[in-house]
C-alpha cells in the first residue's frame, strides 16, 4: 500500500495516482525484496511531501520505523518515529545510516536483520 502525506492530510494512493519518481521506484523495488517477517507486520511506501522524503514505513511493536530513500549522494537513513515527542521536542530518532553501495536486495536484508536483531519485530 502507498500513502501520501500532503499539507497534513494522509491519503492512500492507488496505482494510477502513485508518484513515478526515481525515489518512489527505488522504494517499491526494495519493498519487493523485504523478508516475509517484515512484510507480515505491515510495510507501507510513504510519500511525505511535508517532510520532503519518500520511504518505506514498517509498523513495528515499538512504533513506526522508516527507511528514507536517499537523494543525491546521501546515505539511506533508518529512522524510528516516536509516538510522542521527547522533552527536547524531537519526534524521530535516527538509528542507522548506510551508504548507497548496496543493491535493493542488500538494503532489504540489512533492514530486516536490523529490525529483528534490535527487538522491533517479534
Amino acid at each position: 500500500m502507498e500513502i501520501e502525506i500532503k499539507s497534513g492530510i494522509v491519503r492512500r494512493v492507488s496505482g494510477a495516482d502513485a508518484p513515478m519518481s526515481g525515489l518512489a521506484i527505488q522504494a517499491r523495488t526494495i519493498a519487493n525484496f523485504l523478508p516475509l517477517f517484515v512484510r507480515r507486520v505491515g510495510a507501507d511506501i510513504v510519500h511525505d511531501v511535508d517532510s520532503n522524503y519518500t520511504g518505506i514505513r514498517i509498523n513495528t511493536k515499538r512504533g513506526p520505523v522508516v527507511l528514507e530513500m536517499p537523494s543525491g549522494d546521501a546515505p539511506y537513513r533508518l529512522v524510528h518515529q516516536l509516538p510522542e515527542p521527547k522533552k527536547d521536542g524531537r519526534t524521530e530518532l535516527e538509528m542507522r545510516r548506510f551508504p548507497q553501495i548496496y543493491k535493493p536486495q542488500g538494503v532489504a536484508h540489512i533492514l530486516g536483520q536490523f529490525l529483528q536483531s534490535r527487538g522491533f519485530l517479534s
Side-chain angles (χ1 to χ4, degrees), residues 29-80:
T29 305
I30 292 170
N32 285 333
F33 290 110
L34 287 174
L36 182 60
F37 58 86
V38 176
R39 289 185 193 188
R40 275 194 303 213
V41 296
D44 301 322
I45 302 204
V46 177
H47 310 284
D48 193 340
V49 178
D50 296 341
S51 298
N52 196 24
Y53 76 84
T54 296
I56 302 170
R57 185 175 78 194
I58 297 103
N59 299 313
T60 67
K61 63 182 181 181
R62 289 185 174 172
V65 174
V66 178
L67 174 68
E68 293 181 3
M69 298 296 115
S71 56
D73 292 334
Y76 290 96
R77 289 181 63 217
L78 192 57
V79 176
H80 181 210

Side-chain angles (χ1 to χ4, degrees), residues 74-118:
Y76 290 96
R77 289 181 63 217
L78 192 57
V79 176
H80 181 210
Q81 293 180 337
L82 303 172
E84 293 187 18
K86 289 193 171 223
K87 292 179 182 177
D88 58 359
R90 291 187 305 165
T91 58
E92 63 182 28
L93 178 65
E94 184 175 309
M95 296 188 297
R96 183 162 186 200
R97 288 180 181 234
F98 46 95
Q100 295 185 42
I101 60 173
Y102 301 103
K103 293 181 181 179
Q105 295 94 332
V107 174
H109 178 74
I110 290 169
L111 174 61
Q113 291 301 314
F114 184 86
L115 294 176
Q116 191 173 34
S117 67
R118 301 303 193 282

